[in-house]
Amino acid sequence: MENGDVPEDANEHCPGPQSESAGKSDACEGCPNQQICATAPKGPDPDLVAIAERMANVKHKILVLSGKGGVGKSTFSAQLAFALAAKDFQVGLLDIDICGPSIPKMLGLEGQEIHQSNLGWSPVYVESNLGVMSIGFMLPNPDDAVIWRGPRKNGLIKQFLKDVYWGELDFLIVDAPPGTSDEHISIVQCLDATTVDGAIIVTTPQQVSLIDVRKEVSFCKKVGVKVLGVVENMSGLSQPITDLKFMKLTDSGEQNDVTEWVMEIIREKSPELLSLIACSEVFDSSGGGAVKMCSEMGVPFLGKVPLDPLLCKAAEEGRSCFADTRCVSSAPALKKIIDKLMETNGLSMLVSNGV
Amino acid sequence: MENGDVPEDANEHCPGPQSESAGKSDACEGCPNQQICATAPKGPDPDLVAIAERMANVKHKILVLSGKGGVGKSTFSAQLAFALAAKDFQVGLLDIDICGPSIPKMLGLEGQEIHQSNLGWSPVYVESNLGVMSIGFMLPNPDDAVIWRGPRKNGLIKQFLKDVYWGELDFLIVDAPPGTSDEHISIVQCLDATTVDGAIIVTTPQQVSLIDVRKEVSFCKKVGVKVLGVVENMSGLSQPITDLKFMKLTDSGEQNDVTEWVMEIIREKSPELLSLIACSEVFDSSGGGAVKMCSEMGVPFLGKVPLDPLLCKAAEEGRSCFADTRCVSSAPALKKIIDKLMETNGLSMLVSNGV
């Protein structure tokens, strides 16, 4: 990335499209971009200047990344936004998952539209101090596939950073799609001239997920984004025993629902079991999970969040889990993680300063 | 897509880079690609011709897609490959998730390398009738991030299709990354001249996942790929009651492990419970799940697979769940789905014909 905008498949000794000798040096012979490079205007990208101006009003920028999809990254981003807004911060949540935006649903904002003013695009507001921007607000039909190759996705991300009028923000949380490709390179390049606090990486305890998270940590190191910490999500299922169903396998392999019968037995013979929480290790963490990976890669571990069906439900319904007293297993875990994040990164100062 | 290679952000009336008037028509004035289009060679892409030749030896091509990541797409692809290989078909599994390849791990092939012969790149073989190709076999360090923008990913996918020597195949299963972007457009364009049987779309019952799966169905319709069916994965957790852990919440909110105490009580008072399967609806499916979505969108529903920790473990260890007698809840469900897929698409004919 140190070469700036030099394409990865450029000729050897490519002087870079921003250089004065772009398209004119010996190395440019035969390059299909020679003509464009020779004639394109030089100097800093005016878009980056505009982005830097917009971002001057944003105190802290946090990226939320994951190597693999479906690990709960958007759920975490959404709950982090709710939590910070509940602390009276001015919060913006930017969804740069162009092909699969989940953020509108997770903030309870489906069907909302973006409005335009002479200051730029207005975010959609959950509350007066929590604004949200996503391509999901721009699709005429929510079922439409956004079949876009990289350059078009990058263009929209640039526009989100340049044209959205957030006003003054304490925090801008950027929810990225999984992986390490166009969207990630673009967001980092676009924010390069501003200060990014760092990235939170979300994973599950599975080996396949941890392999990808290592790639994500490598990515952050390569592009110079600090890893604020890793969150292990879906770290075992955890729910009231009374929420379980019980099945009996018949000889022919069919399953019969015997939940009522079981509950009767428990109520009769051992009612002390009714108040318990049943836990299950859904994803094998015998490899040591994210804790071990973090110590190996030298990045902070922020904590574990159990797979809590009630948290999933809150996310699906666009609600904060912190306002849901039934999320007994997930909400305290998430709260601890967010507190740790704030503390270890000097962000809790803000709270005591009343910012 | 009907315009072939016309970039989506092209000038109005762009004649297309393959046209004889490319770069020369009035519409090309001011387009940054004008020079390239005017001078680039015309005619069919020679790579597509080479791909069609390779694919002439492949009887059936099936794409495995998902809108959202982490829904178990790669697990399904891997188990489908195992199942078809167990039926004595000649099977190839191609992983085109460039930034997050999970397939090597899920086939138990981590650390393997690709070899080259004068026939092309040789896949890595699990068994003599099950070959696998993935960028995961090409990374010098498995932690390395593949920080590639679209064009480079597309180049590798082309090369996979053009240069891998599969030999004669009954089935080529292509495991795609989530979404509807570069990799998806590329694979469909590259295979356009050959016959693709269709796509299997994997989802979970969650609303956020179903939103994305609708986009995936739209994508298939737009690019003319038949939807062979939708699989609902992680459709409730299902596991032996004896595999659960039980926790007691203390007044201070801590959780104490009381599993041994609970098991003792059950053994003593109601041992009939020990053989039961505990089920939990992890992801809310009150919206009707994939069944409803399928009937609304007019695509076939193939079946549900429960979230089975033992299936997750088999996948993590690169094993077939069909060979694991403990996968009582997931293996029969997967088998039913694969049988249905074969039947409804005329593929079971092959079996009875002894192909």
Side-chain angles (χ1 to χ4, degrees):
Chain A
M1 303 290 289
E2 49 284 6
N3 292 333
D5 282 340
V6 174
E8 296 205 8
D9 51 0
N11 284 357
E12 220 179 335
H13 306 303
C14 164
Q18 287 300 317
S19 145
E20 279 305 317
S21 59
K24 294 166 193 158
S25 96
D26 290 349
C28 302
E29 277 309 319
C31 173
N33 292 320
Q34 184 174 14
Q35 184 72 15
I36 299 173
C37 281
T39 54
K42 301 292 178 300
D45 180 344
D47 283 344
L48 293 187
V49 178
I51 288 172
E53 273 171 27
R54 281 278 187 205
M55 290 298 134
N57 293 325
V58 178
K59 290 206 189 80
H60 297 282
K61 296 167 215 88
I62 296 177
L63 309 181
V64 182
L65 307 175
S66 76
K68 208 170 150 329
V71 298
K73 182 180 37 55
S74 297
T75 301
F76 180 82
S77 300
Q79 298 300 327
L80 175 62
F82 278 128
L84 291 173
K87 287 179 195 287
D88 279 339
F89 289 117
Q90 199 68 35
V91 181
L93 176 55
L94 172 62
D95 180 6
I96 60 164
D97 191 341
I98 310 294
C99 293
S102 314
I103 287 295
K105 179 151 194 78
M106 294 204 165
L107 277 291
L109 299 173
E110 270 189 302
Q112 300 272 354
E113 275 174 37
I114 287 166
H115 298 280
Q116 209 155 0
S117 74
N118 56 354
L119 294 168
W121 288 345
S122 286
V124 177
Y125 284 90
V126 183
E127 292 173 70
S128 63
N129 66 336
L130 175 51
V132 181
M133 180 56 69
S134 167
I135 192 178
F137 299 133
M138 300 167 143
L139 301 177
N141 178 346
D143 293 351
D144 281 351
V146 180
I147 311 175
W148 288 8
R149 287 190 183 270
R152 201 159 168 195
K153 293 192 283 190
N154 303 334
L156 183 63
I157 290 173
K158 230 180 194 181
Q159 228 174 334
F160 275 157
L161 293 172
K162 189 166 66 86
D163 293 342
V164 176
Y165 178 68
W166 296 102
E168 299 270 335
L169 283 188
D170 294 311
F171 289 94
L172 178 66
I173 300 164
V174 181
D175 185 47
T180 53
S181 190
D182 279 289
E183 296 87 339
H184 312 84
I185 305 174
S186 293
I187 191 83
V188 170
Q189 281 182 348
C190 285
L191 292 179
D192 197 29
T194 74
T195 337
V196 175
D197 290 70
I200 299 171
I201 305 181
V202 183
T203 182
T204 67
Q206 299 158 277
Q207 283 297 323
V208 275
S209 184
L210 290 173
I211 293 175
D212 289 353
V213 101
R214 285 167 185 271
K215 292 185 200 297
E216 213 65 35
V217 173
S218 301
F219 169 81
C220 287
K221 287 187 178 165
K222 236 177 203 169
V223 299
V225 168
K226 183 180 167 192
V227 177
L228 299 176
V230 174
V231 175
E232 185 178 287
N233 200 13
M234 307 194 184
S235 198
L237 179 82
S238 182
Q239 65 178 152
I241 202 170
T242 46
D243 282 3
L244 290 178
K245 278 189 173 180
F246 297 91
M247 300 288 181
K248 195 179 178 134
L249 263 188
T250 65
D251 294 337
S252 62
E254 298 293 306
Q255 299 192 355
N256 284 337
D257 190 333
V258 294
T259 312
E260 283 195 27
W261 173 70
V262 172
M263 284 302 156
E264 224 163 88
I265 291 181
I266 295 183
R267 267 193 297 268
E268 205 174 287
K269 297 189 178 173
S270 23
E272 64 272 39
L273 301 187
L274 289 173
S275 64
L276 297 183
I277 293 177
C279 298
S280 157
E281 201 176 74
V282 182
F283 301 119
D284 180 32
S285 64
S286 56
V291 182
K292 188 170 158 224
M293 188 276 300
C294 283
S295 85
E296 280 168 13
M297 298 205 77
V299 293
F301 178 70
L302 289 174
K304 299 183 181 190
V305 185
L307 180 55
D308 175 359
L310 294 167
L311 170 61
C312 296
K313 206 169 156 64
E316 290 261 300
E317 293 172 0
R319 292 182 286 111
S320 162
C321 72
F322 305 105
D324 186 336
T325 51
R326 294 172 310 153
C327 293
V328 283
S329 63
S330 56
L334 270 168
K335 195 182 164 297
K336 240 189 227 174
I337 287 172
I338 294 171
D339 287 348
K340 187 166 177 186
L341 170 76
M342 305 282 283
E343 239 166 67
T344 51
N345 292 288
L347 301 172
S348 55
M349 291 278 291
L350 296 176
V351 190
S352 50
N353 289 345
V355 180
Chain B
M1 304 288 289
E2 48 286 1
N3 292 334
D5 283 340
V6 173
E8 295 206 9
D9 51 359
N11 283 357
E12 220 179 335
H13 307 303
C14 164
Q18 287 299 317
S19 147
E20 279 305 317
S21 59
K24 295 164 192 160
S25 96
D26 290 350
C28 301
E29 277 310 318
C31 173
N33 292 319
Q34 185 174 14
Q35 183 73 15
I36 298 173
C37 282
T39 53
K42 301 293 179 301
D45 182 343
D47 283 343
L48 293 187
V49 178
I51 289 172
E53 273 172 28
R54 281 276 186 206
M55 291 297 133
N57 293 324
V58 179
K59 290 206 188 80
H60 297 283
K61 297 167 213 85
I62 296 177
L63 310 180
V64 181
L65 307 174
S66 76
K68 210 171 146 333
V71 299
K73 182 181 36 58
S74 297
T75 301
F76 180 81
S77 299
Q79 297 298 328
L80 176 62
F82 278 128
L84 292 173
K87 287 181 196 284
D88 279 339
F89 289 117
Q90 200 65 38
V91 181
L93 176 54
L94 173 62
D95 180 6
I96 61 165
D97 191 341
I98 310 295
C99 294
S102 314
I103 287 295
K105 179 150 195 75
M106 295 206 166
L107 277 289
L109 299 173
E110 271 189 301
Q112 300 273 351
E113 276 175 37
I114 287 167
H115 299 281
Q116 210 155 2
S117 74
N118 57 354
L119 293 167
W121 289 344
S122 286
V124 177
Y125 283 90
V126 182
E127 292 175 69
S128 63
N129 67 336
L130 176 50
V132 181
M133 180 56 69
S134 167
I135 194 178
F137 299 134
M138 302 167 140
L139 301 176
N141 178 346
D143 294 352
D144 280 351
V146 180
I147 311 174
W148 289 7
R149 286 190 184 271
R152 200 158 168 198
K153 294 193 283 190
N154 303 333
L156 182 63
I157 291 172
K158 233 182 192 178
Q159 230 175 333
F160 275 156
L161 293 172
K162 190 167 64 88
D163 293 342
V164 176
Y165 178 68
W166 297 101
E168 299 270 334
L169 282 187
D170 294 312
F171 289 95
L172 178 67
I173 301 164
V174 181
D175 185 48
T180 53
S181 191
D182 280 287
E183 296 87 339
H184 311 82
I185 305 174
S186 293
I187 190 84
V188 170
Q189 282 182 347
C190 285
L191 292 180
D192 198 29
T194 75
T195 339
V196 174
D197 289 71
I200 299 170
I201 305 180
V202 184
T203 182
T204 66
Q206 300 158 277
Q207 283 298 323
V208 274
S209 184
L210 289 173
I211 294 175
D212 288 353
V213 102
R214 285 168 185 271
K215 291 186 201 296
E216 212 65 33
V217 173
S218 301
F219 169 80
C220 287
K221 288 186 177 164
K222 238 179 204 166
V223 299
V225 168
K226 184 180 166 192
V227 177
L228 298 177
V230 174
V231 175
E232 185 178 289
N233 199 14
M234 307 194 183
S235 198
L237 180 81
S238 181
Q239 66 178 151
I241 202 170
T242 46
D243 282 4
L244 290 178
K245 279 189 172 179
F246 296 92
M247 300 288 182
K248 196 178 177 137
L249 263 187
T250 65
D251 293 339
S252 61
E254 298 293 307
Q255 297 193 357
N256 284 337
D257 189 335
V258 294
T259 311
E260 282 193 29
W261 172 70
V262 171
M263 284 302 156
E264 223 163 274
I265 291 182
I266 295 183
R267 267 194 297 269
E268 204 175 288
K269 297 190 179 172
S270 24
E272 63 273 36
L273 301 187
L274 290 174
S275 65
L276 297 182
I277 293 177
C279 298
S280 156
E281 201 176 74
V282 182
F283 301 120
D284 179 32
S285 65
S286 57
V291 183
K292 187 170 159 224
M293 187 275 300
C294 282
S295 85
E296 281 168 11
M297 297 206 78
V299 293
F301 179 68
L302 288 174
K304 299 182 180 189
V305 185
L307 181 54
D308 175 359
L310 294 167
L311 171 61
C312 296
K313 205 169 156 64
E316 291 262 299
E317 293 172 359
R319 291 182 287 110
S320 162
C321 73
F322 304 105
D324 187 335
T325 51
R326 294 171 311 154
C327 294
V328 284
S329 63
S330 56
L334 270 169
K335 194 181 164 299
K336 242 189 225 173
I337 287 172
I338 294 171
D339 286 348
K340 188 166 176 186
L341 170 75
M342 304 283 281
E343 241 166 65
T344 51
N345 292 289
L347 301 172
S348 55
M349 291 280 290
L350 296 176
V351 191
S352 50
N353 289 345
V355 179

